């Protein structure tokens, strides 16, 4: 019992309320915001439905990983908007037998901005923010391009939500 109390005292004393000094038990997210609106991202590429996939993934990540509630723009403290600017397919290697691509990298690039609707100021904004994924379209895997799209979108949405953490 005494050992547990001593251990708890050591752990708690290692935490600080100021995140610049040691460890902190404070949230990684800015406490002054409670809600965020996420309209469907724009898509300036020929890749169809990527904007829907990305917006859906971002909303799900916000709901599961942050303290913010996703609401409509009229009721939101903040607004997260963005545009898919490029979707690029890059063959990584080819089969010496068939000449077909064995592995392909799919890279998705976006510009996004998270705004404070109360003050009209930008909280976070990034241009040419990207994520990529590899898929294998050749046999025996024969993965469709949607596998690469899904993996890149999942990574990109996770990275965007990570950018919503408070700047320490």
């Amino acid at each position: 019992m005494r050992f547990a109390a001593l251990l708890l005292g050591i752990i708690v004393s290692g935490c600080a309320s100021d995140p610049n000094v040691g460890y902190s038990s404070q949230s990684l997210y800015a406490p002054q915001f409670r809600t965020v609106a996420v309209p469907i991202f724009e898509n300036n590429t020929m890749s169809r439905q990527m904007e829907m996939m990305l917006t859906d993934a971002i909303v799900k990540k916000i709901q599961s990983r942050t303290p913010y509630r996703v609401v409509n723009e009229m009721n939101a403290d903040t607004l997260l908007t963005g545009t898919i600017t490029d979707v690029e397919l890059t063959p990584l290697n080819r089969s010496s037998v068939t000449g077909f691509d064995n592995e392909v990298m799919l890279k998705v690039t976006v510009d996004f901005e998270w705004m404070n609707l109360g003050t009209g100021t930008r909280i976070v904004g990034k241009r040419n923010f990207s994520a990529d994924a590899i898929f294998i379209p050749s046999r025996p895997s024969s993965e469709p391009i949607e596998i690469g799209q899904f993996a890149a979108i999942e990574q990109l949405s996770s990275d965007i939500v990570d950018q919503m953490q408070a700047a320490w």
Side-chain angles (χ1 to χ4, degrees), residues 12-14 18 20 23 28 44 51 74 88 90 102 121 153:
V12 170
S13 67
D18 181 1
N20 294 320
Y23 295 99
L28 295 174
N44 293 344
E51 70 279 9
M74 297 297 292
E88 181 181 336
T90 306
N102 280 336
T121 59
I153 291 293

Side-chain angles (χ1 to χ4, degrees), residues 13-46:
S13 67
C15 295
S17 62
D18 181 1
N20 294 320
V21 180
Y23 295 99
S24 174
S25 58
Q26 290 181 341
S27 174
L28 295 174
Y29 298 94
Q32 69 267 31
F33 307 122
R34 292 192 188 121
T35 57
V36 59
V38 186
I40 296 172
F41 273 42
E42 292 185 32
N43 186 354
N44 293 344
T45 72
M46 298 301 288

Side-chain angles (χ1 to χ4, degrees), residues 99-159:
F100 294 132
D101 296 332
N102 280 336
E103 293 180 312
V104 176
M105 182 173 64
L106 185 135
K107 180 179 178 181
V108 180
T109 304
V110 301
D111 295 340
F112 75 91
E113 194 169 63
W114 188 31
M115 299 288 294
N116 179 340
L117 292 176
T119 63
T121 59
R122 182 169 82 169
I123 303 165
V124 174
K126 301 279 182 177
R127 294 184 58 74
N128 298 319
F129 196 74
S130 64
D132 52 48
I134 296 173
F135 69 102
I136 304 168
S138 63
R139 293 185 184 207
S141 296
S142 300
E143 295 176 344
I145 192 171
E146 289 82 10
I147 296 292
Q149 289 174 334
F150 177 79
I153 291 293
E154 283 296 305
Q155 184 62 53
L156 189 58
S157 63
S158 184
D159 293 346

